[in-house]
Amino acid sequence: MENKIPKHIAIIMDGNGRWAKKRGLPRTAGHKQGAETIRKIAIACNDRQIKVLTVYAFSTENWKRPEEEVDYLCKLPKFFFQRYMAELKKNNIQVRFLGEIERFPKETQNVILTAAEETKQNTGLILCLAVNYGGRREIVLAAKQYAKDVLEEKASQDLDEQTFASYLMSKDMPDVDVMIRTSGELRLSNFLLWQNAYAEFIFTDTAWPDFDESELDKAITEYQARDRRYGGLK
Ligand code: FPP
């Protein structure tokens, strides 16, 4: 029974900069290769019948990086979808986003919204890109909207977890089963705080641009070997 395929895998794609530096390349080359890895791992997750893959592409803290790097990261969605949209569609992959995209340049927003719109009927893997996303921010926005709904008598004051979850950006998505962080860092970095409540955490020293199908399978096998008790006994 525990040999189950995880429904939702979330990944903190760390180590792009270090990968590039090791090769004498600019940091942006690491992000470019990282985008290629997203494509590869999305196809692999789809082949393995995983329902959702959420990747942390841009955090609310990433605006603090040098302007040149931020500019490049803002342009990556365009590059990514121009290059891979046909393949994502062929594989029946649905694209979604988590985060406040309004802060991105108009062109980036359009690319993102178009990718979601053009794939919304697809029934395969949901590839969810977290962009300008922060877990605390998501919870605060949900709390604000809930309070507003209570004041306007659109919601009951008797709040439960399921109702609160429906106010999050991730509404309609299952909780995270496996949380992977690459490149040796052992932190959650404000990623999916609510949704990771019962996730199994898997860390690898591999830098994100080098992450591949065999690393993914290793993570799935490790997840299957873990004893998930959700606080109970077995
Ligand atoms: C962390 O590595 C990675 C990021 C902050 C950006 C991740 C983005 C991508 C992989 C591409 C996004 C693509 C699309 C299509 C949205 P780091 O730069 O912090 O690495 P370091 O710790 O080695 O410096």
Side-chain angles (χ1 to χ4, degrees):
M1 187 185 124
E2 281 303 321
N3 251 11
K4 282 202 311 206
I5 293 296
K7 281 200 189 76
H8 187 172
I9 296 182
I11 307 183
I12 300 180
M13 309 179 289
D14 206 358
N16 293 346
R18 278 165 281 175
W19 180 92
K21 192 169 173 212
K22 232 168 88 183
R23 289 161 178 76
L25 298 168
R27 294 177 54 80
T28 49
H31 297 316
K32 183 164 183 235
Q33 192 61 36
E36 164 63 24
T37 307
I38 296 179
R39 179 201 69 91
K40 184 171 62 189
I41 297 304
I43 305 279
C45 284
N46 191 46
D47 290 347
R48 287 156 183 72
Q49 317 281 312
I50 287 152
K51 291 206 162 50
V52 186
L53 170 68
T54 305
V55 292
Y56 208 1
F58 196 99
S59 79
T60 47
E61 286 72 39
N62 286 150
W63 297 106
K64 292 185 244 166
R65 294 192 175 202
E67 198 182 324
E68 190 199 329
E69 186 171 344
V70 169
D71 284 351
Y72 188 81
L73 286 169
C74 288
K75 287 197 195 106
L76 256 182
K78 185 175 169 194
F79 153 80
F80 183 82
F81 289 117
Q82 270 177 350
R83 204 156 162 176
Y84 302 129
M85 196 50 159
E87 194 183 5
L88 296 175
K89 281 184 178 165
K90 203 179 88 205
N91 282 276
N92 197 22
I93 292 175
Q94 184 188 126
V95 177
R96 286 197 203 175
F97 292 89
L98 291 183
E100 294 171 276
I101 63 165
E102 310 77 50
R103 194 164 163 193
F104 289 110
K106 256 271 162 293
E107 191 183 20
T108 309
Q109 292 184 39
N110 288 341
V111 163
I112 287 174
L113 293 172
T114 305
E117 180 60 30
E118 285 183 2
T119 59
K120 70 175 184 206
Q121 310 291 0
N122 290 354
T123 54
L125 175 84
I126 295 171
L127 169 61
C128 182
L129 304 180
V131 283
N132 193 26
Y133 172 85
R136 287 185 173 182
R137 176 88 183 136
E138 179 188 29
I139 291 170
V140 167
L141 288 175
K144 277 169 81 170
Q145 186 58 46
Y146 170 68
K148 189 163 173 274
D149 283 358
V150 169
L151 281 174
E152 292 172 4
E153 297 186 348
K154 288 184 193 149
S156 149
Q157 284 191 40
D158 192 15
L159 182 63
D160 60 18
E161 290 183 10
Q162 207 187 340
T163 307
F164 189 73
S166 74
Y167 281 87
L168 296 170
M169 294 166 180
S170 62
K171 59 177 180 293
D172 308 330
M173 297 205 316
D175 275 352
V176 177
D177 297 306
V178 186
M179 219 299 290
I180 300 171
R181 183 167 188 149
T182 58
S183 208
E185 262 19 284
L186 311 180
R187 288 187 294 276
L188 190 50
S189 299
N190 204 15
F191 191 40
L192 301 173
L193 297 180
W194 175 281
Q195 301 83 347
N196 269 319
Y198 287 101
E200 294 294 332
F201 284 50
I202 292 174
F203 299 100
T204 169
D205 287 335
T206 305
W208 176 246
D210 287 332
F211 194 88
D212 60 11
E213 292 90 342
S214 75
E215 288 261 356
L216 176 71
D217 286 333
K218 232 168 63 188
I220 296 173
T221 306
E222 191 174 333
Y223 160 79
Q224 289 169 337
R226 297 226 187 137
D227 185 14
R228 295 183 96 194
R229 293 194 298 269
Y230 296 94
L233 297 175
K234 266 197 191 148

